[in-house]
C-alpha cells in the first residue's frame, strides 16, 4: 500500500491504521519533513514531532522482524529519537547517502 498525507491529520492516521489492520505490515518507509526553509531552530520542533508520530505508527503496525526506514535530519533531539529506535528494534543504524552533501544533515534511520 502506498499512501500520501500528513501524519498530523486524524483522517490519515485512521485510514492508515484501518488499512494496516487487514494484514501484517512488513515495512514502513517514511520521508516526512515540513518545509525547512528559514531559521532551523524554529522549524526543528515540527520534524521531530513528525518523526515521533511515524515511529509510534510503525511500532503499532509492524509485525515482528519487520523493517522501518525513515529519512531524518540530524539536529537537536536526534539522539533521543535514535535511542528510542534502538530500544524498540533489534537493530537500528544510521546511513547517509554518498551523494548527499556534507552541509546537509539528511540521514536515514534503518531499523
Amino acid at each position: 500500500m502506498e499512501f500520501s498525507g500528513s501524519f498530523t491529520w486524524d483522517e490519515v492516521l485512521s485510514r492508515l491504521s484501518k488499512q494496516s489492520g487487514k494484514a501484517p505490515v512488513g515495512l514502513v518507509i517514511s520521508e516526512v519533513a515540513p518545509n525547512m526553509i528559514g531559521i532551523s531552530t524554529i522549524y526543528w520542533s515540527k520534524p521531530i514531532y513528525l518523526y515521533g508520530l511515524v515511529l509510534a505508527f510503525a511500532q503499532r503496525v509492524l509485525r515482528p522482524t519487520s523493517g522501518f526506514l525513515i529519512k531524518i535530519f540530524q539536529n537537536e533531539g536526534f539522539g533521543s529519537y535514535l535511542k528510542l529506535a534502538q530500544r524498540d528494534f533489534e537493530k537500528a543504524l544510521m546511513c547517509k547517502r554518498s551523494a548527499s552533501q556534507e552541509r546537509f544533515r539528511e540521514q536515514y534511520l534503518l531499523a
Side-chain angles (χ1 to χ4, degrees):
M1 169 183 70
E2 183 179 330
F3 184 77
S4 295
S6 175
F7 261 70
T8 61
W9 303 340
D10 290 336
E11 61 270 17
V12 169
L13 287 175
S14 176
R15 181 175 172 199
L16 285 170
S17 294
K18 188 177 194 180
Q19 200 63 23
S20 65
K22 294 180 180 179
V25 175
L27 178 64
V28 170
I29 300 174
S30 178
E31 187 176 354
V32 298
N35 187 348
M36 297 288 283
I37 297 171
I39 303 168
S40 62
T41 54
I42 293 172
Y43 291 105
W44 180 242
S45 63
K46 185 72 170 183
I48 200 69
Y49 171 71
L50 292 172
Y51 302 153
L53 291 175
V54 174
L55 182 59
F57 175 78
Q59 292 165 330
R60 192 170 60 249
V61 302
L62 287 172
R63 65 178 183 247
T65 70
S66 295
F68 175 59
L69 177 67
I70 185 170
K71 180 179 178 177
I72 188 168
F73 291 86
Q74 190 173 356
N75 210 329
E76 186 178 327
F78 168 79
S80 299
Y81 186 83
L82 179 58
K83 285 180 184 176
L84 286 174
Q86 289 171 331
R87 180 196 71 195
D88 295 336
F89 291 91
E90 189 175 313
K91 292 181 183 177
L93 50 107
M94 296 303 303
C95 310
K96 185 171 179 77
R97 295 182 313 135
S98 59
S100 183
Q101 297 178 16
E102 269 307 308
R103 64 187 174 109
F104 294 119
R105 296 178 175 199
E106 166 189 289
Q107 294 191 31
Y108 293 85
L109 170 62
L110 178 61

